[in-house]
Amino acid sequence: MIISIIVAIGENHAIGKNNQLLWHMPNDLKHFKEITLGRTIIMGRKTFDSVGKPLPRRRNIVVTRQDIEIAGCEVVKSIDEGLALCAHDDEVFIGGGAEIYRQAMDKTDRIYLTIIHKAFDADTFFPEIDYLQWQEVSREDFEPDEKNPLPYSFIQLNRR
């Protein structure tokens, strides 16, 4: 099983503020959907709350210490418990937030990274990436357009 992180970050590793995204970039949302459709995505409860509902046509696993049930989701106490449920998947996605990314980083084989080329005022950040451990295998750079107001890049990193 390949464990993949999928994340969009600002140049300063910002990923959110007040449990909300910092930008509206339709092409990034489309990219996220294309990559994760039909797959399993593991996310923390706060990230799930910010999305507000299970992601359609994906298996949704929510990590939380709370004893709760969430309609349309499997609820687990840890990333490892979530990954154990996915033993037969070819690729599983870690979808945030910051603490879930931090816990998953050492287990991760691949990072699908969107960089929004701007530094943002944020209260939540993606962990630093040790680029000595990662190899960039693909990159697409985009300029702003009528729907996507900021320059951005789609990058795939594989663990060396």
Side-chain angles (χ1 to χ4, degrees):
M1 168 177 50
I2 295 170
I3 300 171
S4 297
I5 282 176
I6 187 161
V7 64
I9 67 174
E11 287 181 339
N12 58 340
H13 282 236
I15 58 174
K17 186 170 184 179
N18 300 321
N19 209 32
Q20 297 296 316
L21 290 176
L22 301 167
W23 48 76
H24 180 68
M25 300 286 288
N27 279 0
D28 181 53
L29 296 173
K30 180 180 172 193
H31 181 67
F32 176 92
K33 183 177 179 180
E34 287 171 355
I35 290 171
T36 62
L37 211 58
R39 308 287 189 142
T40 299
I41 187 150
I42 298 174
M43 68 187 101
R45 187 205 36 90
K46 289 179 188 174
T47 297
F48 175 81
D49 288 348
S50 75
V51 174
K53 63 181 189 216
L55 295 169
R57 300 194 316 251
R58 279 156 278 208
R59 180 182 185 190
N60 290 256
I61 298 177
V62 177
V63 179
T64 180
R65 290 183 288 268
Q66 299 176 348
D67 271 330
I68 58 173
E69 291 185 17
I70 302 172
C73 299
E74 295 165 77
V75 178
V76 297
K77 300 283 187 201
S78 69
I79 293 172
D80 287 337
E81 187 181 340
L83 291 171
L85 295 176
C86 306
H88 300 292
D89 291 22
D90 59 344
E91 187 172 17
V92 174
F93 291 90
I94 306 296
E99 180 60 19
I100 299 296
Y101 287 137
R102 189 188 64 70
Q103 291 177 24
M105 194 63 112
D106 289 341
K107 306 172 191 311
T108 298
D109 305 298
R110 185 177 292 158
I111 301 174
Y112 295 91
L113 179 66
T114 300
I115 298 178
I116 310 297
H117 296 289
K118 178 181 173 181
F120 290 87
D121 176 31
D123 59 17
T124 310
F125 297 86
F126 189 74
E128 288 296 318
I129 298 170
D130 177 358
Y131 284 96
L132 296 175
Q133 295 184 28
W134 299 93
Q135 178 179 3
E136 186 175 304
V137 295
S138 67
R139 180 186 194 104
E140 294 178 89
D141 297 315
F142 299 90
E143 293 300 319
D145 60 34
E146 61 282 347
K147 292 182 180 174
N148 300 278
L150 299 166
Y152 59 101
S153 301
F154 295 148
I155 302 166
Q156 183 180 323
L157 303 170
N158 289 353
R159 189 173 292 280
R160 292 185 189 273

